[in-house]
Amino acid sequence: MRILMVCLGNICRSPLAEGIMKTKAAESGLNWEVDSAGTGYWHSGEPPDRRSIQIARKNGIDITDQRARQFRAADFEKFDKIFVMDVNNRKDVLVQAKDETQRQKVVLMLDLLFPGQDRSVPDPYYDDNGFEEVFGMLDAACTKFVEAALSPK
Ligand code: 4NP
């Protein structure tokens, strides 16, 4: 399976989501490809925010090799699932979908935990203390997704 994590800047939330999902998939023997992107272009080429690097490291995950890039319509062809961090990301990604098959690939990250409630992963960019909470949400959501993939259908 190919999974894309999407937020606004691709420096805070989606790099964490990428690192967490990659780690959990690998630990479970799942051969998944996981990438991330931002709907905005401002941080393209940059490594993750140092606060995301720190909270990941604290949890045993190294995300320093990641570099930000902007989401593009071609991502709809490459990826099977596109997890968006908030409802604005969802809107910005969905307008680039060309048909229903592509729209169906887009899932709000917290729908994994709270289906249908339109809950967003809060943007921690202006909140130094928000990273711990964001990590916890993403960790729980990724755990749920990996467990669902492993459980017999
Ligand atoms: P992210 O956080 O979308 O989780 O990567 C942000 C990073 C940068 C900005 C906004 C959100 N910014 O406005 O530059």
Side-chain angles (χ1 to χ4, degrees):
M1 179 156 36
R2 294 194 173 102
I3 298 169
L4 184 67
M5 304 297 193
V6 177
C7 63
L8 176 60
N10 192 208
I11 55 169
C12 297
R13 292 165 292 178
S14 59
L16 280 175
E18 176 187 335
I20 293 166
M21 191 70 96
K22 264 185 186 157
T23 303
K24 289 187 185 296
E27 282 170 359
S28 302
L30 295 165
N31 187 24
W32 289 354
E33 182 176 334
V34 187
D35 191 11
S36 64
T39 56
Y41 61 87
W42 316 284
H43 296 282
S44 291
E46 292 178 20
D49 186 284
R50 63 185 160 71
R51 296 163 297 178
S52 283
I53 290 176
Q54 267 172 13
I55 192 75
R57 183 180 292 138
K58 197 174 144 192
N59 289 276
I61 300 173
D62 181 5
I63 61 168
T64 55
D65 283 349
Q66 294 185 31
R67 294 296 177 266
R69 72 167 177 89
Q70 190 172 20
F71 177 82
R72 45 186 177 254
D75 287 322
F76 277 115
E77 316 280 347
K78 171 166 182 187
F79 294 94
D80 307 304
K81 276 255 180 239
I82 300 173
F83 285 113
V84 289
M85 299 300 126
D86 67 35
V87 293
N88 289 318
N89 308 148
R90 180 171 64 185
K91 171 172 61 74
D92 293 338
V93 165
L94 280 177
V95 293
Q96 300 183 59
K98 66 170 196 225
D99 56 27
E100 191 53 28
T101 305
Q102 294 193 342
R103 277 189 285 278
Q104 294 286 342
K105 294 182 176 188
V106 181
V107 176
L108 194 58
M109 192 82 203
L110 291 185
D111 265 6
L112 290 169
L113 300 172
F114 312 103
Q117 294 187 25
D118 272 0
R119 289 208 205 182
S120 291
V121 178
D123 181 352
Y125 191 58
Y126 296 105
D127 173 16
D128 285 346
N129 300 316
F131 285 79
E132 191 103 40
E133 186 194 12
V134 164
F135 188 94
M137 290 176 175
L138 295 175
D139 191 68
C142 290
T143 298
K144 188 92 187 260
F145 189 68
V146 167
E147 280 175 356
L150 292 174
S151 71
K153 299 195 172 64

